Amino acid sequence: MSIRLLITIAAGTAGLCFAAPLAAADSGVTKQLNDNIRKQARAESTAWQGLFDAYLDMTDPPMAINAGFNQTTIHPGMDDWAAVSDWAITNKEVAAALATAADKVIIGLPYGSDAVDARYRDAGLAAVVRLEPDGEVEVDFPYMQAFDAFATWTAANLYTQIEAGEYDAAFDVAVSNARVLRHLCDRQMLAEKSTAMRLLAESLSVMRDAMYTSVDRIPADVYARIATKELPFLKVSDTERLKRLELPEGDRLVFEAVLDEVFLDNGAPDPERLAEVFGVIQSEGTPLTRFGASKRWERIAEIHGSLDASKEKLTDVYDDWWRRWKIKPYDPIQALPSEYSRLNEVRYAIVAESIADMTALFAARNQLAVEINGTILGCGLCGYRVEYGKWPEDREKAYVRFIPKRFDFDPYDKGYGRLLFDYVGSRKEAVETDYGRIFVSNCIVYARGDDHEDSGFKEASLDGMTGDMVVWPPLRALAREQGLID
């Protein structure tokens, strides 16, 4: 989130709250956020109520959804697979809810816990953005638990329906869930967007796992339809570069309200308010340092920029991020120092200490583009194998019928070229991965990774931050197959 010192993690969802009191409320923040939603779509074109009703009707999963049990840990060979599969069957109505939501314009959940019915609020299904008259400011998104549950159920359903021979239905539900998560990626707060992008990337990796482990069971026509008619349209008019995905603006609105609280009427910083608010923030979890932190902010107040100058600097930072987001990744402008990196950490300490660097979101967009494009290619390669009884030595053999060529795109390639492809046949090639050493064979599809270099898939990471990013064959499925993970 934008106010990075205030991030707390609960049940896998990022939240934010001020421990220090703020003097006045700014109800305009939630109004602005909700006005933005109303501009995007009418109430009947939003998906949130139908999804939340479906979530409330779901039975409990066989175990709590957490790091040990989620969409990425599910597969037919897991412990308690029978219970997980039964959970998928018991809650088959979720499929219809996801399909309906996928066809809506936006998620559209209003901000503010009072903006939803009590039955949703009591279940934690709310997007909390609260600035109270008594001074408390809280931003938290417990409703993300519903989308985590949908993604986990979808993975269980995918494998369950494949086992039952219901291949079209299995992937239709998986695509609906992916489209819902793509809608979720358009939420206005950084924590929401980041979580949604992670869930969507994981859901695509789950599809690849299922394709790989069931490749010869699924008809070629199913692969062709999913690769050419379904996955390319997670969001209408989205491109292989995710051009419709936008930067979040909600955090900026919250921070501007905070700025108004720590400056005097004459526009100068209020030493006591700075010490009270930011001193507590910096010492969160370490109360013994509070006195020192408060003194620091009192000294900073003496030389800090005015309210107008701080808001202007905040605008400069966001405008710079927007400009970089919209232009090509390797435009020469991208190599210039950002406004964020150039912030004077004393004169604009409030801005520097409070807003998060968006660099991580740029990296997450690249990773998500690779996940989408790589899943389309992997699906197409599977279709070719089923059709012709072998993996293609050249990916171009799978173009047209099985792979839309425009999605063969590597966002890490400075030349805006294709994903990397290698055919090693029956040879076993070693790849150093996050799971350990994995051996791959046949067709290999990978992106260059964050260093923009082709390491020949000798080293790979799941997020592309180290070495290459291998998307086919799916490394997690291979790691299970080769006994590296359960």
Side-chain angles (χ1 to χ4, degrees):
M1 303 190 51
S2 283
I3 306 180
R4 65 172 182 270
L5 296 176
L6 309 179
I7 292 177
T8 58
I9 303 295
T13 301
L16 158 128
C17 64
F18 278 93
L22 297 181
D26 186 352
S27 59
V29 172
T30 50
K31 181 180 184 303
Q32 283 181 275
L33 291 170
N34 291 330
D35 283 348
N36 290 340
I37 292 174
R38 283 188 282 270
K39 290 175 184 176
Q40 291 177 283
R42 297 188 299 272
E44 59 268 26
S45 298
T46 61
W48 68 277
Q49 283 185 284
L51 288 170
F52 284 1
D53 287 342
Y55 175 73
L56 293 178
D57 289 341
M58 288 179 74
T59 62
D60 291 336
M63 58 203 84
I65 297 173
N66 52 36
F69 177 67
N70 57 65
Q71 63 177 327
T72 66
T73 68
I74 288 175
H75 61 101
M78 68 183 295
D79 292 339
D80 298 321
W81 165 243
V84 173
S85 182
D86 285 345
W87 176 61
I89 294 169
T90 301
N91 293 281
K92 60 184 179 181
E93 295 82 4
V94 173
L98 289 172
T100 299
D103 288 336
K104 298 292 186 179
V105 178
I106 58 173
I107 297 298
L109 172 65
Y111 292 90
S113 56
D114 292 338
V116 300
D117 190 83
R119 64 197 178 99
Y120 301 135
R121 186 168 59 250
D122 292 346
L125 300 178
V128 182
V129 179
R130 201 160 54 91
L131 288 79
E132 293 288 349
D134 65 1
E136 185 179 1
V137 179
E138 183 182 6
V139 179
D140 194 18
F141 307 106
Y143 79 88
M144 283 291 183
Q145 64 184 301
F147 293 91
D148 212 346
F150 291 141
T152 303
W153 176 86
T154 298
N157 180 74
L158 179 62
Y159 284 111
T160 297
Q161 290 197 298
I162 287 174
E163 287 191 328
E166 299 170 351
Y167 308 117
D168 280 302
F171 283 100
D172 283 345
V173 176
V175 170
S176 291
N177 177 65
R179 286 184 175 145
V180 167
L181 291 173
R182 177 60 188 85
H183 287 326
L184 193 64
C185 290
D186 290 328
R187 294 289 289 175
Q188 297 178 61
M189 303 294 288
L190 179 56
E192 295 174 288
K193 188 177 290 286
S194 299
T195 301
M197 291 171 73
R198 174 183 59 79
L199 289 173
L200 176 53
E202 289 176 352
S203 75
L204 292 160
S205 74
V206 170
M207 281 194 230
R208 296 198 303 276
D209 285 359
M211 292 170 191
Y212 174 81
T213 55
S214 308
V215 59
D216 291 324
R217 299 174 60 181
I218 300 168
D221 286 347
V222 175
Y223 288 121
R225 180 176 66 86
I226 299 302
T228 63
K229 300 183 185 304
E230 303 295 343
L231 289 177
F233 302 102
L234 291 182
K235 185 177 180 69
V236 176
S237 77
D238 242 353
T239 70
E240 65 281 3
R241 303 182 189 186
L242 291 175
K243 286 187 177 180
R244 290 292 297 275
L245 186 65
E246 297 188 338
L247 278 174
E249 280 281 351
D251 306 78
R252 177 179 179 173
L253 298 177
V254 173
F255 180 61
E256 285 179 343
V258 173
L259 277 178
D260 288 332
E261 292 292 341
V262 295
F263 282 82
L264 299 167
D265 291 340
N266 64 2
D270 183 336
E272 292 183 3
R273 297 296 292 131
L274 278 178
E276 185 178 17
V277 173
F278 286 91
V280 171
I281 292 169
Q282 283 202 320
S283 59
E284 190 71 20
T286 54
L288 293 178
T289 68
R290 183 170 300 171
F291 178 76
S294 297
K295 284 296 185 181
R296 172 178 178 266
W297 283 101
E298 288 177 3
R299 291 194 297 271
I300 285 175
E302 299 174 2
I303 55 176
H304 198 283
S306 67
L307 175 59
D308 287 344
S310 296
K311 286 188 174 182
E312 182 178 343
K313 185 59 64 174
L314 180 65
T315 298
D316 290 343
V317 168
Y318 267 85
D319 284 352
D320 181 50
W321 278 331
W322 266 110
R323 182 168 57 253
R324 293 168 186 269
W325 187 263
K326 290 296 185 182
I327 63 177
K328 290 183 176 181
Y330 308 112
D331 188 287
I333 290 176
Q334 301 283 16
L336 299 175
S338 68
E339 288 290 335
Y340 180 84
S341 68
R342 293 165 55 192
L343 276 175
N344 185 311
E345 295 186 2
V346 177
R347 182 164 177 76
Y348 297 107
I350 300 173
V351 178
E353 293 283 355
S354 301
I355 61 173
D357 188 350
M358 291 278 189
T359 303
L361 199 65
F362 283 70
R365 180 176 62 169
N366 282 342
Q367 180 187 349
L368 181 55
V370 173
E371 295 282 359
I372 294 171
N373 300 343
T375 303
I376 290 172
L377 260 70
C379 188
L381 294 174
C382 288
Y384 183 95
R385 173 185 167 82
V386 173
E387 184 87 351
Y388 298 102
K390 61 180 181 179
W391 296 103
E393 298 88 354
D394 187 334
R395 75 187 113 181
E396 294 194 11
K397 291 183 176 181
Y399 283 169
V400 183
R401 168 138 164 72
F402 294 108
I403 299 172
K405 187 175 181 179
R406 72 185 179 94
F407 281 92
D408 188 359
F409 168 75
D410 182 0
Y412 293 107
D413 179 18
K414 293 182 178 180
Y416 306 101
R418 299 189 296 177
L419 289 164
L420 295 160
F421 177 93
D422 204 346
Y423 180 78
V424 298
S426 59
R427 296 199 323 271
K428 300 291 185 181
E429 297 286 345
V431 187
E432 299 299 332
T433 76
D434 296 330
Y435 302 113
R437 180 172 292 177
I438 289 176
F439 293 93
V440 300
S441 59
N442 299 310
C443 296
I444 301 165
V445 179
Y446 61 103
R448 289 159 178 80
D450 198 56
D451 62 2
H452 315 300
E453 299 292 336
D454 175 8
S455 70
F457 63 86
K458 301 303 179 187
E459 180 182 11
S461 58
L462 296 176
D463 58 8
M465 298 305 291
T466 304
D468 298 325
M469 187 174 170
V470 176
V471 286
W472 192 265
L475 296 181
R476 184 172 57 240
L478 288 175
R480 288 178 180 141
E481 188 179 86
Q482 296 174 26
L484 297 176
I485 59 174
D486 295 328

